[in-house]
Amino acid sequence: NRLIKFTYIFLMLFCIHSCSKNKTEPENEGNESAQQISKNQKPEKKIITIKSLDHFQRIIEQGGNRLFLFDLYADWCQPCRILTPILEEIAEEKSDIVSFYKVDVDKHRIIAKMLQVRTIPLVVLIKNKNVVKRFVGVQPKTAYLDGISEYAN
């Protein structure tokens, strides 16, 4: 019983410590449109990290009929780390029909609330300013590809 309590307290402290680490990446409000963002990215960078709420809102507002995939994650989340290479592979294959973004839920709690994040990892497909599909947890690569195929047309 004491071991369980100790383990629980240790995990809670670890999570609090992980979430409260100083962020070294500066917040960049950015003034680029969704098209400019994709044009300015290095070719090897297929998944763009959301820098602010304003950045997120501009992408959604200016996206038109484009399909967006948002990976909602946290640095401390082990399943999120497992998901990353899967999404990187898909981004290499499908970046012509879908735009890929990452949202750190610890840094961008308002975005997480807007997208109704209850657990991570969460992958959300958005088209025409609407959430069209949600994937909770790590799914097989084919599940994401099927979702993209269904809504990318």
Side-chain angles (χ1 to χ4, degrees), residues 3 6-7 18 47-48 73 86 111:
L3 181 61
F6 175 77
T7 305
S18 296
I47 302 177
I48 300 165
Y73 75 99
I86 296 169
I111 297 171

Side-chain angles (χ1 to χ4, degrees), residues 78-84 86 120-121 135-140 144:
Q78 189 60 39
C80 299
R81 292 178 185 176
I82 293 168
L83 178 59
T84 297
I86 296 169
I120 54 174
F135 300 93
V136 177
V138 178
Q139 303 293 321
Y144 302 109

Side-chain angles (χ1 to χ4, degrees), residues 1-120:
N1 198 8
R2 285 184 180 182
L3 181 61
I4 292 171
K5 286 180 183 178
F6 175 77
T7 305
Y8 178 75
I9 292 169
F10 176 78
L11 288 174
M12 292 300 292
L13 290 173
F14 177 76
C15 289
I16 291 168
H17 174 73
S18 296
C19 294
S20 65
K21 286 184 180 177
N22 289 337
K23 311 298 186 225
T24 57
E25 187 175 307
E27 280 292 314
N28 178 4
E29 292 300 316
N31 294 320
E32 302 168 342
S33 70
Q35 290 91 11
Q36 289 170 326
I37 290 168
S38 15
K39 287 180 188 174
N40 292 337
Q41 292 300 311
K42 296 177 185 175
E44 68 274 2
K45 182 82 171 180
K46 299 287 185 189
I47 302 177
I48 300 165
T49 301
I50 295 296
K51 301 292 183 190
S52 67
L53 175 60
D54 185 53
H55 182 203
F56 174 77
Q57 289 173 326
R58 274 195 321 277
I59 289 164
I60 299 300
E61 290 298 319
Q62 298 172 0
N65 197 34
R66 180 89 173 158
L67 181 64
F68 297 106
L69 183 147
F70 288 92
D71 171 21
L72 293 114
Y73 75 99
D75 290 333
W76 51 264
C77 169
Q78 189 60 39
C80 299
R81 292 178 185 176
I82 293 168
L83 178 59
T84 297
I86 296 169
L87 294 180
E88 287 172 347
E89 259 184 52
I90 296 170
E92 286 294 323
E93 299 169 15
K94 300 292 183 179
S95 62
D96 57 327
I97 60 171
V98 62
S99 297
F100 292 80
Y101 295 93
K102 293 178 68 111
V103 179
D104 184 332
V105 297
D106 289 333
K107 290 181 182 176
H108 305 292
R109 294 176 191 263
I110 294 173
I111 297 171
K113 188 173 182 177
M114 290 169 60
L115 294 175
Q116 300 175 348
V117 176
R118 302 283 182 257
T119 185
I120 54 174

